[in-house]
Amino acid sequence: MSDGFDRAPEQTRPLRAPPSSQDNIPQQNLESAMAKPQVVVAPVLMSKLSANAPEFYPSGYSSNYTESYEDGCEDYPTLSEYVQDFLNHLTEQPGSFETEIEQFAETLNGWVTTDDALQELVELIYQQATSIPNFSYMGARLCNYLSHHLTISPQSGNFRQLLLQRCRTEYEVKDQAAKGDEVTRKRFHAFVLFLGELYLNLEIKGTNGQVTRADILQVGLRELLNALFSNPMDDNLICAVKLLKLTGSVLEDAWKEKGKTDMEEIIQRIENVVLDANCSRDVKQMLLKLVELRSSNWGRVHATSTYREATPENDPNYFMNEPTFYTSDGVPFTAADPDYQEKYQELLEREDFFPDYEENGTDLSGAGDPYLDDIDDEMDPEIEEAYEKFCLESERKRKQ
């Protein structure tokens, strides 16, 4: 038998015809036509990246400081340019403080050898800390480090003494500055916040090696707050709030150690401002939030406090998150009710605890469903009794 796939032998063509002079197809064309299909391979692109390529810097980034830093200050004609470049570098890359501050201080020790040079250094850091937003913290850290690592100590005073003298110059005009125009007040506010950072970061080592904060700054901050609250313009009050959020907890602890009630007086003054001052609603809300923050011990949590399990006797909010139940008459009750035990027992004894109902035309009882009809809705009496005992025992233990 033959099927549709059989062919007669005489009709089968050879796979390749022998060459003949009478063939009209050239040999090279014939071979091309009979060749196997070619697989197209995408060209391999060679990367131009190199591990030896120079370090990448974002557009607009100035690498003058980085390139010259390795050579110390040799590429800088003046101390001012060297210090200003380092300050700008810290502003752009504050994370480099830890790795580069030591080299910076060593370079300064070889360059700052006169009173004038030290005065110039103090002024450069002060101006950067009070004119560049968000540099007050970094400036205070820098001042603390240099106060302990600069070796020069001329007759006019060491680095810390000259820095405090520079701050005193601004401090003495605080009342006029708080009343001044917008530009003057803005500069005054920058000084206030920088002084707050100095109070937190400037460490003074005593003769016995103990580290303390500068008491003179503590007194200064108290008077600066007086100047701000005495001129209750919005920007002055906002500055006072920022300062108290920054230093409030530390100041209050220090005052309490000395038996002073300065923080109580400040809070009372804030409350008077909220009631009497003609400040904006947003600023009043900010002041009230500050009072709330202070009432919560400035948001601090004492981890050393002894843990006590909450009970109705020691926790006024004990029943706040307790579930609410309803009696058969629809009267709500919670665990705080005196007759809670009886009402809860009545609740357990109710037969129809979850009545069936229809919602949007849907019968939730499962009527007509052969699967649900086979399910026994009632607990086994023995299981129900054990469950009730468990609930009652749990309640009894929780109240003990």
Side-chain angles (χ1 to χ4, degrees), residues 128-184:
Q128 187 85 359
T130 57
S131 61
I132 303 298
N134 301 323
F135 191 76
S136 57
Y137 167 69
M138 186 59 64
R141 290 186 65 194
L142 178 61
C143 289
N144 180 60
Y145 188 91
L146 294 180
S147 69
H148 296 294
H149 293 85
L150 282 184
T151 55
I152 181 175
S153 183
Q155 293 182 351
S156 59
N158 57 28
F159 177 84
R160 185 179 70 248
Q161 292 168 336
L162 292 181
L163 174 66
L164 294 178
Q165 290 176 18
R166 178 63 182 88
C167 292
R168 186 176 183 82
T169 303
E170 295 292 331
Y171 171 80
E172 289 176 346
V173 296
K174 58 185 180 301
D175 295 321
Q176 296 89 329
K179 302 175 184 177
D181 57 22
E182 185 176 352
V183 175
T184 302

Side-chain angles (χ1 to χ4, degrees), residues 45-170:
L45 299 178
M46 301 300 294
S47 174
K48 296 180 180 180
L49 298 177
S50 171
N52 299 321
E55 187 175 358
F56 168 76
Y57 292 98
S59 59
Y61 175 78
S62 175
S63 61
N64 294 335
Y65 173 80
T66 305
E67 293 171 355
S68 58
Y69 179 75
E70 298 176 355
D71 301 326
C73 58
E74 296 177 0
D75 295 339
Y76 293 92
T78 64
L79 170 68
S80 176
E81 291 184 13
Y82 173 66
V83 173
Q84 190 62 58
D85 211 8
F86 180 77
L87 296 177
N88 293 339
H89 173 67
L90 279 185
T91 303
E92 295 175 354
Q93 300 186 39
S96 63
F97 180 88
E98 299 292 345
T99 57
E100 298 177 4
I101 185 60
E102 183 178 356
Q103 177 63 41
F104 177 68
E106 290 179 4
T107 303
L108 289 181
N109 280 326
W111 200 334
V112 180
T113 56
T114 64
D115 292 7
D116 292 341
L118 187 59
Q119 290 275 9
E120 183 180 17
L121 174 64
V122 169
E123 184 64 25
L124 287 169
I125 296 175
Y126 176 86
Q127 291 297 333
Q128 187 85 359
T130 57
S131 61
I132 303 298
N134 301 323
F135 191 76
S136 57
Y137 167 69
M138 186 59 64
R141 290 186 65 194
L142 178 61
C143 289
N144 180 60
Y145 188 91
L146 294 180
S147 69
H148 296 294
H149 293 85
L150 282 184
T151 55
I152 181 175
S153 183
Q155 293 182 351
S156 59
N158 57 28
F159 177 84
R160 185 179 70 248
Q161 292 168 336
L162 292 181
L163 174 66
L164 294 178
Q165 290 176 18
R166 178 63 182 88
C167 292
R168 186 176 183 82
T169 303
E170 295 292 331

Side-chain angles (χ1 to χ4, degrees), residues 207-227:
T207 55
N208 297 328
Q210 75 276 17
V211 177
T212 61
R213 292 188 170 92
D215 284 341
I216 189 172
L217 293 180
Q218 181 187 125
V219 175
L221 291 176
R222 179 68 172 92
E223 294 302 318
L224 289 173
L225 286 169
N226 285 340

Side-chain angles (χ1 to χ4, degrees), residues 360-378:
N360 297 330
T362 303
D363 184 2
L364 300 181
S365 65
D369 190 322
Y371 174 75
L372 294 177
D373 288 343
D374 292 338
I375 297 179
D376 187 2
D377 292 335
E378 295 185 1

Side-chain angles (χ1 to χ4, degrees), residues 135-389:
F135 191 76
S136 57
Y137 167 69
M138 186 59 64
R141 290 186 65 194
L142 178 61
C143 289
N144 180 60
Y145 188 91
L146 294 180
S147 69
H148 296 294
H149 293 85
L150 282 184
T151 55
I152 181 175
S153 183
Q155 293 182 351
S156 59
N158 57 28
F159 177 84
R160 185 179 70 248
Q161 292 168 336
L162 292 181
L163 174 66
L164 294 178
Q165 290 176 18
R166 178 63 182 88
C167 292
R168 186 176 183 82
T169 303
E170 295 292 331
Y171 171 80
E172 289 176 346
V173 296
K174 58 185 180 301
D175 295 321
Q176 296 89 329
K179 302 175 184 177
D181 57 22
E182 185 176 352
V183 175
T184 302
R185 294 199 308 270
K186 185 176 181 180
R187 184 170 62 248
F188 174 60
H189 299 156
F191 161 69
V192 170
L193 296 179
F194 176 55
L195 208 68
E197 292 288 4
L198 276 180
Y199 176 65
L200 297 180
N201 291 279
L202 191 61
E203 299 173 343
I204 299 178
K205 294 182 179 179
T207 55
N208 297 328
Q210 75 276 17
V211 177
T212 61
R213 292 188 170 92
D215 284 341
I216 189 172
L217 293 180
Q218 181 187 125
V219 175
L221 291 176
R222 179 68 172 92
E223 294 302 318
L224 289 173
L225 286 169
N226 285 340
L228 292 169
F229 286 123
S230 298
N231 300 276
M233 290 173 274
D234 280 5
D235 54 355
N236 281 344
L237 295 175
I238 291 173
C239 179
V241 169
K242 289 181 178 179
L243 179 62
L244 286 171
K245 283 186 175 181
L246 178 67
T247 63
S249 62
V250 179
L251 285 173
E252 184 165 15
D253 290 346
W255 286 330
K256 282 183 177 179
E257 288 180 3
K258 299 177 181 179
K260 295 182 177 181
T261 60
D262 291 50
M263 187 56 69
E264 296 291 343
E265 297 172 7
I266 290 174
I267 296 301
Q268 182 61 52
R269 193 157 190 181
I270 291 176
E271 293 174 352
N272 293 337
V273 167
V274 172
L275 292 174
D276 303 330
N278 189 24
C279 57
S280 68
R281 180 182 177 184
D282 290 341
V283 172
K284 288 185 178 181
Q285 289 292 329
M286 191 180 299
L287 291 169
L288 291 174
K289 288 290 184 182
L290 179 68
V291 174
E292 183 180 346
L293 177 65
R294 188 259 178 173
S295 65
S296 66
N297 195 26
W298 303 100
R300 296 179 292 186
V301 178
H302 295 289
T304 57
S305 60
T306 305
Y307 171 77
R308 294 188 304 167
E309 185 177 355
T311 65
E313 289 74 24
N314 65 22
D315 186 359
N317 299 321
Y318 181 79
F319 295 111
M320 281 186 64
N321 297 319
E322 287 290 320
T324 301
F325 302 100
Y326 294 87
T327 66
S328 57
D329 299 328
V331 178
F333 70 95
T334 66
D337 293 335
D339 54 348
Y340 168 76
Q341 192 70 32
E342 293 77 9
K343 290 180 179 179
Y344 189 74
Q345 180 62 34
E346 178 189 350
L347 182 68
L348 293 176
E349 292 174 354
R350 268 195 265 164
E351 295 181 1
D352 193 17
F353 191 71
F354 295 107
D356 301 329
Y357 63 94
E358 292 186 3
E359 182 179 11
N360 297 330
T362 303
D363 184 2
L364 300 181
S365 65
D369 190 322
Y371 174 75
L372 294 177
D373 288 343
D374 292 338
I375 297 179
D376 187 2
D377 292 335
E378 295 185 1
M379 281 188 186
D380 182 274
E382 191 174 335
I383 297 178
E384 184 175 6
E385 182 181 359
Y387 175 70
E388 291 179 1
K389 288 182 179 180

